[in-house]
Amino acid sequence: MTVARFDLDGRVVEVSKADKVLFAADGITKGDLARYYRKIAATALPHYRDRPLTMQRFPDGIDRAGFFQKHVPDHFPGWIERRDLPSKAGTVCHMLAHSAAALVYLVDQGCITPHLGVARVDLPDRPDRLVFDLDPSDNDFAKVQEVAGALRDALDRRGIPSFVQTTGSRGLHVVIPLRRTAGFAPLRAFMRGFAQRIADAHPDIATTEQRKLARGDRVLIDTFRTAAGQTFAAPYAVRARPGAPVATPIRWDEALAPGMSPRKYDIHSIPRRLGQIDDPWGDIDKSAIDAQRLIDGPG
């Protein structure tokens, strides 16, 4: 097994067993994954800044069971940034990813997909991202697009900015950027109410029903990420699925275009895409809306 060395941010990061295949059907190796995260770091890292990171690790590749890990292991080097945050069990020492070196080090630890908190570490009880997770019950992505379009239009009518990304799995994330003026509880009520109104207006294709048996073939508008400690797939994160698809920020016209797929972009195409267009989420924080306005506004 080979060791790949990356000179990044003034330090050398070693990726052990770089030729180990993590995506067996595609021949994608640990070294390939590290090189991907190095390439996209400059675009991705502004979205990671000051967000607690949860690692989704697959040390033996995606064909074996992986696991989620929030707490930073003791063996992580001292230059990896950390922050203790409250949890139900006490505190959790989370990693912060502020450098390409940190992203590549995560790959060395078998982390394929980083997930990010919806609140930043300085105000962990005040989210600056609200995430509607559109989760289909079948493989008909056109229904996901229809629900996403209805959700966007309803937000537009309220003057609420929204952004969208593929999940790299089966659905879409619709994201509202916030100015941090409210806590989780009232924002959770806003999210649930808004999602229910979309489901009531489109009962044949949308639901807020969590029970799979009760959903039928409808798209779940999941709002459960509006809570302390919840996460969403990091922008430009690779998902542990065949083909190494990527959770990709896209424009709304792309999201609703015929033929779009939640797995359209992958580890090979994202660097090319970012060489051709600007990051669709590059100015997301400039569009942030006052969180209290959502709570105080009309339903």
Side-chain angles (χ1 to χ4, degrees):
M1 292 287 185
T2 61
V3 175
R5 291 176 172 82
F6 295 82
D7 188 355
L8 297 165
D9 307 307
R11 57 177 46 89
V12 174
V13 181
E14 292 188 348
V15 174
S16 63
K17 301 179 181 178
D19 55 354
K20 183 175 184 176
V21 176
L22 298 180
F23 295 77
D26 309 285
I28 296 171
T29 67
K30 196 175 179 183
D32 294 330
L33 190 65
R35 285 184 284 274
Y36 167 79
Y37 278 110
R38 179 190 63 188
K39 288 178 183 176
I40 60 90
T43 300
L45 286 172
H47 302 301
Y48 290 57
R49 181 152 300 279
D50 296 331
R51 296 190 184 281
L53 187 147
T54 296
M55 298 168 272
Q56 190 177 9
R57 300 174 67 181
F58 293 84
D60 297 311
I62 68 169
D63 292 334
R64 301 288 294 274
F67 59 95
F68 287 90
Q69 183 171 353
K70 290 180 179 287
H71 191 82
V72 176
D74 291 340
H75 69 266
F76 273 37
W79 58 264
I80 293 289
E81 296 181 65
R82 301 160 166 82
R83 181 68 64 91
D84 289 330
L85 293 177
S87 72
K88 292 181 180 178
T91 61
V92 174
C93 182
H94 281 274
M95 175 180 170
L96 303 179
H98 290 164
S99 66
L103 296 183
V104 170
Y105 182 81
L106 282 174
V107 174
D108 181 58
Q109 300 301 302
C111 176
I112 290 178
T113 310
H115 298 256
L116 301 176
V118 294
R120 299 180 191 261
V121 293
D122 60 331
L123 290 174
D125 296 324
R126 297 288 185 99
D128 68 339
R129 296 286 185 268
L130 296 181
V131 180
F132 292 99
D133 181 13
L134 304 187
D135 183 14
S137 300
D138 56 24
N139 293 318
D140 185 358
F141 187 66
K143 282 187 293 192
V144 178
Q145 292 175 296
E146 189 172 351
V147 174
L151 182 56
R152 181 202 60 177
D153 291 347
L155 291 169
D156 283 350
R157 287 193 293 271
R158 284 275 307 272
I160 300 171
S162 63
F163 291 75
V164 62
Q165 80 168 6
T166 67
T167 62
S169 180
R170 299 197 308 157
L172 293 171
H173 285 158
V174 177
V175 177
I176 302 172
L178 297 180
R179 294 199 297 276
R180 302 178 292 174
T181 56
F184 280 107
L187 288 168
R188 185 161 53 247
F190 160 79
M191 291 285 280
R192 289 176 176 173
F194 208 96
Q196 190 60 57
R197 284 189 287 276
I198 298 298
D200 290 345
H202 303 273
D204 294 336
I205 58 169
T207 183
T208 59
E209 178 58 65
Q210 290 286 317
R211 293 173 300 155
K212 290 186 177 180
L213 289 178
R215 293 183 209 166
D217 61 359
R218 295 174 294 175
V219 175
L220 170 64
I221 309 174
D222 190 341
T223 61
F224 277 75
R225 283 170 172 77
T226 312
Q230 289 298 304
T231 65
F232 65 107
Y236 300 106
V238 179
R239 306 307 304 271
R241 290 179 171 269
V246 169
T248 307
I250 55 177
R251 303 186 309 269
W252 270 112
D253 64 308
E254 294 179 285
L256 304 182
M260 185 60 183
S261 163
R263 296 179 296 278
K264 178 176 180 177
Y265 297 107
D266 58 30
I267 193 173
H268 303 297
S269 59
I270 285 294
R272 293 195 300 271
R273 173 176 168 83
L274 293 178
Q276 297 167 352
I277 70 165
D278 293 332
D279 175 18
W281 284 22
D283 292 330
I284 187 171
D285 288 319
K286 293 181 180 179
S287 298
I289 188 171
D290 190 293
Q292 193 63 43
R293 177 187 155 190
L294 300 184
I295 299 164
D296 295 340

